[in-house]
Amino acid sequence: MSIKKILGTALAVASILGFAASAEAKTTVRISHTQIETHPDHIGFVAFKNFVESKAGDKYDVRIFPNSSLGANEKVLELVKMNSVQFLSVSTANIESFNKKYAVFSVPFLFTSESNFEKFITDPEVLAELGSDAQKDGFRPLGAFTAGTRNFYSKTPINTVDDLKGKKFRVQAGPTNVKMMEAFGAAATPMSFGEVYSALQQGVIDGAENNELALTDQKHGEVCKYFSYDGHQMCPDLIVASEKFLSKLSDEDRKLFEDAAKEAQKAEFEAWHKRIAEAKEQAKKMGVTFIDVDANAFREKVLPLHQQLLNENPAMKAMYEKASAFDASNNK
């Protein structure tokens, strides 16, 4: 082999090795969520990934793990605290057991409009207050994804609040949700989301409560043909970051990830509203009827529950008062 070829080969190998070393030097950033790849949460995190890698692709390799591939949210939240996973999209209902003030978002009819809810959860001051215990919690919210409004859907029509009486409805785990259903005169049946379809099919439950995507993405509209808009809950999915991860970043890189969370938030909101409109049309083709009910009649049933929940959980009082004042001021 000629000297020229040897030198050329050596340079090529050195180049490859140099590239490999550079790739290995990147910090892997892991993001977890429980949704499918077409879900707005995933679309939001793709925007997050693109933002970070366009600004600092030589330093960070952002990897998204959808479909609960890293485990259920409660398990992954522990991994976030350890900095094994850096970011997670998690419902506030799943964070209640770690910090009781997050339970405020499970209070039924905390907000009177979806618009007020969306403005509140994306308010930087609100996110900062939620993250005030970050060093103890091990995680910090940097942004929020909307999950719309939670409404009832069932095999029989829910036209009035009295139509809930005696019915069995699946709810998310948590004492607030059980108390809410009792106030409505119904029976709460907590179970994991993945079990709901078969429970509906087999008649274990009469219905469930969620947003419109449950009808289509989870096929619940194949069994439940009535969806009633009462808007009893609005629980956000928070973009939480590992506090250990954030604490090791330079000011510049920390701002990078904070800005990426804002980009994710913006992309998710846009995708959410588009996807909800599409899901509603798709559900109608599945034979689902959408019912507009008197939400105030539902609200009056559970308003007495607010004070009971505050007495049982004083940790959420400050955030409850902040949310109530915010909602009232934005209704003027």
Side-chain angles (χ1 to χ4, degrees), residues 296-316:
N296 283 328
F298 286 74
R299 190 168 185 266
E300 287 171 7
K301 287 284 186 180
V302 296
L303 277 181
L305 186 59
H306 285 210
Q307 191 57 52
Q308 180 187 343
L309 294 172
L310 288 170
N311 291 340
E312 293 173 353
N313 182 8
M316 69 177 184

Side-chain angles (χ1 to χ4, degrees), residues 5 15 45 48 74 86 95 104 134 169 195 206 258 312:
K5 285 185 176 180
S15 176
F45 278 133
F48 182 107
E74 292 87 347
Q86 286 67 50
I95 310 179
V104 68
F169 279 82
E195 297 174 347
D206 299 301
E258 289 171 348
E312 293 173 353

Side-chain angles (χ1 to χ4, degrees), residues 75-87:
K75 173 188 172 185
V76 178
L77 199 54
E78 292 291 353
L79 297 176
V80 169
K81 293 164 72 173
M82 296 164 55
N83 195 23
S84 297
V85 174
Q86 286 67 50
F87 292 90

Side-chain angles (χ1 to χ4, degrees), residues 17-29:
L17 290 175
F19 176 79
S22 173
E24 288 175 5
K26 288 184 179 182
T27 298
T28 299
V29 175

Side-chain angles (χ1 to χ4, degrees), residues 42-230:
H42 188 79
I43 293 169
F45 278 133
V46 169
F48 182 107
K49 171 184 171 69
N50 291 341
F51 183 86
V52 172
E53 293 184 348
S54 68
K55 303 287 185 182
D58 58 330
K59 293 174 66 176
Y60 296 104
D61 176 22
V62 180
R63 301 180 186 181
I64 305 171
F65 296 86
N67 294 310
S68 302
S69 54
L70 296 183
N73 278 337
E74 292 87 347
K75 173 188 172 185
V76 178
L77 199 54
E78 292 291 353
L79 297 176
V80 169
K81 293 164 72 173
M82 296 164 55
N83 195 23
S84 297
V85 174
Q86 286 67 50
F87 292 90
L88 167 68
S89 167
V90 56
S91 171
T92 51
N94 297 137
I95 310 179
E96 289 180 26
S97 58
F98 294 90
N99 189 321
K100 290 184 177 180
K101 69 181 172 186
Y102 287 92
V104 68
F105 293 104
S106 293
V107 174
F109 295 102
L110 179 63
F111 298 97
T112 55
S113 76
E114 190 172 358
S115 173
N116 289 353
F117 161 70
E118 291 181 352
K119 290 174 185 173
F120 186 78
I121 62 172
T122 55
D123 186 323
E125 288 186 11
V126 171
L127 291 168
E129 190 169 333
L130 287 171
S132 61
D133 299 322
Q135 290 187 346
K136 176 174 66 72
D137 293 338
F139 56 85
R140 180 184 297 274
L142 294 188
F145 289 158
T146 181
T149 63
R150 297 184 75 87
N151 306 278
F152 291 110
Y153 54 94
S154 62
K155 299 174 185 178
T156 56
I158 304 295
N159 292 301
T160 71
V161 68
D162 289 337
D163 291 330
L164 293 173
K165 287 182 179 178
K167 302 286 179 64
K168 292 177 292 183
F169 279 82
R170 179 266 175 177
V171 295
Q172 296 183 98
T176 301
N177 295 317
V178 174
K179 289 184 174 73
M180 175 183 71
M181 295 311 298
E182 289 174 349
F184 283 137
T189 307
M191 66 174 65
S192 68
F193 196 36
E195 297 174 347
V196 177
Y197 184 88
S198 59
L200 288 167
Q201 260 193 333
Q202 295 165 17
V204 175
I205 53 177
D206 299 301
E209 49 86 43
N210 213 315
N211 58 61
E212 297 91 334
L213 297 190
L215 299 172
T216 54
D217 289 358
Q218 305 300 323
K219 312 297 184 186
H220 295 177
E222 293 179 353
V223 186
C224 294
K225 300 300 181 182
Y226 301 95
F227 188 99
S228 299
Y229 282 111
D230 72 299

